[in-house]
Amino acid sequence: MASRDVEDEILRKWTPLILRSLLIVSAVILITGLVMMAVSTPNYYVERFHAAQSGRSHVQQEWAQMGRGAISGDAHSLLMIGLLVLTLVPLGRVAFTLILFVKQGDRVFALATGYVLAALILGVMLGRIG
Amino acid sequence: MLTIVGGLLGLALLAGFIGSLSGLGGGVFIVPGLVLLGHMPMQVAIGASLISVVATSAGASVAFVRDGWTNLRVAMILECATVTGALAGAYLAGVIRPPVLELLFAAMMLQSAYFSVTRQSDDPVPAGDKWCSRLRLDGEIINPDGTRSHYGVIRLPWGAGLMVLAGLMSGLLGVGAGALKVAAMDYLMRIPLKVSSATSNFMIGVTAGAGALVFLARGDISTAVAAPVALGVTAGALAGSRVLPYANARALRLLFVVILLLIAAEMAWRALDGI
């Protein structure tokens, strides 16, 4: 496949489709989470809001625990998943660019894009450590 | 709960709308909005703002990349610098005292206001320098009459240096640092303005995403604040982009720069009071 065709296929077809879908999914999850919290645990929301105001917003959840919570209908876990899906949008964008450079056989730019992708993943690890 | 969510949604909607109309981005308005009106500590406001920057840049950049305005090679080579700065910034944001962050934020607002009122150069060069040509960073733009014009790219090391600073600002203060990115590409690297803006927009989401992931993994994002803010800013930015073609952009930008300067003064005053 010619380089231009590869670019068209990846950038103009798949990237917008998947990234728009991720955006819509995250918005739906966030709205669902907020509605569920308003219905089931509005006091918990108010408590978390005041905790944030007083600088006590730190809540570190394991990913698996977050997933289990979301499945069982825990609104806080659902909101965390929604925010996580949202932050996956730039990650996805970089991943698609990496695929493009690899397909084009452009080693220097594949390496540069790989570094950016690795740095984004390192961000998660840094957050877990520090 | 509904009053709080409504208040946050309204604040974020306004910040996204003004940020989109002024071209300054939602981050410069959402952080002071949360700190001064929502009585939030800086770290909480920065975390929520980073998430909202990711959300707003996502929609726009998809269109820019699809329409071919983004120079992906320039974006990825410069993103190596911004993402490094953003990781350092997000890490430092967790340890720097809030009044110092507020003072830095006020300084960043002044910088943003300066770049907003100075005229962009938009004076492309026909050929790139040795480094940029070797990396094939040059590109083409499509003119209104359908013809194509070639542009060169110069001064990559200087541009990359400024991008580390832009990334540091993004991770540390929760903003997109778009004004600095566009200035570096347009003034310094002589990339055409529309390509600079589109490339900057692509980069903003990735840079903010790096910072947001550190905050999210560290458990420092308050879902109670970030969720309504992300939804409100996105809706506000979308509304702003619809109104923009019918608005007097220059007059609006000047008005918002005055507002920005007033908020910067308030933030600086608050910071100095706390130090």
Side-chain angles (χ1 to χ4, degrees), chain B residues 69-80:
Chain B
W69 284 106
T70 307
N71 186 329
L72 273 182
R73 298 175 77 82
V74 169
M76 291 325 299
I77 212 84
L78 291 179
E79 196 54 56
C80 292

Side-chain angles (χ1 to χ4, degrees), chain B residues 81-107:
Chain B
T82 46
V83 87
T84 308
L87 284 183
Y91 195 72
L92 286 173
V95 291
I96 292 181
R97 286 180 58 227
V100 180
L101 283 177
E102 286 172 11
L103 203 58
L104 286 172
F105 197 92

Side-chain angles (χ1 to χ4, degrees), chain B residues 227-264:
Chain B
V229 163
L231 290 169
V233 167
T234 311
L238 200 69
S241 65
R242 293 276 158 92
V243 173
L244 191 61
Y246 311 102
N248 181 345
R250 179 83 188 153
L252 275 176
R253 179 172 286 215
L254 284 175
L255 172 71
F256 293 138
V257 163
V258 173
I259 297 173
L260 198 71
L261 291 174
L262 290 173
I263 301 172

Side-chain angles (χ1 to χ4, degrees), chain B residues 114-125:
Chain B
Y114 172 76
F115 283 127
S116 297
V117 288
T118 47
R119 229 170 67 85
Q120 280 91 0
S121 68
D122 209 17
D123 188 17
V125 288

Side-chain angles (χ1 to χ4, degrees), chain B:
Chain B
M1 175 187 165
L2 291 180
T3 318
I4 298 172
V5 173
L8 287 173
L9 272 174
L11 178 72
L13 205 83
L14 191 67
F17 188 72
I18 296 177
S20 172
L21 273 185
S22 62
L24 294 163
V28 286
F29 293 104
I30 200 70
V31 172
L34 285 174
V35 171
L36 301 174
L37 301 174
H39 308 291
M40 290 287 163
M42 268 302 274
Q43 273 90 350
V44 174
I46 290 168
S49 176
L50 278 172
I51 295 275
S52 69
V53 172
V54 170
T56 46
S57 95
S61 68
V62 166
F64 279 136
V65 172
R66 191 191 52 215
D67 299 341
W69 284 106
T70 307
N71 186 329
L72 273 182
R73 298 175 77 82
V74 169
M76 291 325 299
I77 212 84
L78 291 179
E79 196 54 56
C80 292
T82 46
V83 87
T84 308
L87 284 183
Y91 195 72
L92 286 173
V95 291
I96 292 181
R97 286 180 58 227
V100 180
L101 283 177
E102 286 172 11
L103 203 58
L104 286 172
F105 197 92
M108 182 280 301
M109 288 177 105
L110 292 180
Q111 169 270 137
S112 209
Y114 172 76
F115 283 127
S116 297
V117 288
T118 47
R119 229 170 67 85
Q120 280 91 0
S121 68
D122 209 17
D123 188 17
V125 288
D129 60 18
K130 194 179 95 181
W131 271 102
C132 297
S133 299
R134 191 173 285 179
L135 288 166
R136 290 185 286 128
L137 296 183
D138 299 5
E140 276 185 341
I141 48 167
I142 302 166
N143 301 309
D145 59 4
T147 57
R148 287 173 181 267
S149 300
H150 180 89
Y151 64 86
V153 180
I154 57 172
R155 303 191 195 112
L156 176 64
W158 285 96
L162 268 185
M163 290 299 162
V164 175
L165 185 67
L168 197 68
M169 266 169 56
S170 179
L172 193 62
L173 305 172
V175 293
L180 184 59
K181 283 182 179 131
V182 172
M185 282 188 267
D186 175 39
Y187 277 108
L188 216 58
M189 300 174 74
R190 304 291 283 275
I191 299 171
L193 188 59
K194 190 151 186 185
V195 179
S196 296
S197 302
T199 308
S200 157
N201 201 287
F202 177 91
M203 293 172 66
I204 283 171
V206 181
T207 317
L213 281 168
V214 175
F215 272 74
L216 206 60
R218 200 163 53 197
D220 279 349
I221 300 257
S222 166
T223 51
V225 180
V229 163
L231 290 169
V233 167
T234 311
L238 200 69
S241 65
R242 293 276 158 92
V243 173
L244 191 61
Y246 311 102
N248 181 345
R250 179 83 188 153
L252 275 176
R253 179 172 286 215
L254 284 175
L255 172 71
F256 293 138
V257 163
V258 173
I259 297 173
L260 198 71
L261 291 174
L262 290 173
I263 301 172
E266 172 67 24
M267 288 287 278
W269 181 257
R270 210 183 115 97
L272 291 171
D273 203 36
I275 284 176

Side-chain angles (χ1 to χ4, degrees), chain A residues 49-95:
Chain A
F49 179 80
H50 290 309
Q53 278 184 320
S54 55
R56 293 179 289 107
S57 60
H58 183 86
V59 180
Q60 200 170 32
Q61 254 184 324
E62 288 301 325
W63 304 118
Q65 189 189 349
M66 209 188 292
R68 278 195 300 273
I71 292 166
S72 65
D74 172 42
H76 173 77
S77 302
L78 212 56
L79 289 177
M80 282 298 283
I81 300 260
L83 295 177
L84 192 66
V85 173
L86 191 60
T87 49
L88 287 182
V89 175
L91 210 91
R93 215 182 309 166
V94 177

Side-chain angles (χ1 to χ4, degrees), chain A residues 9-20:
Chain A
E9 181 83 4
I10 296 173
L11 287 185
R12 289 168 181 82
K13 192 176 163 192
W14 291 110
T15 313
L17 184 74
I18 294 180
L19 297 188
R20 283 250 161 85

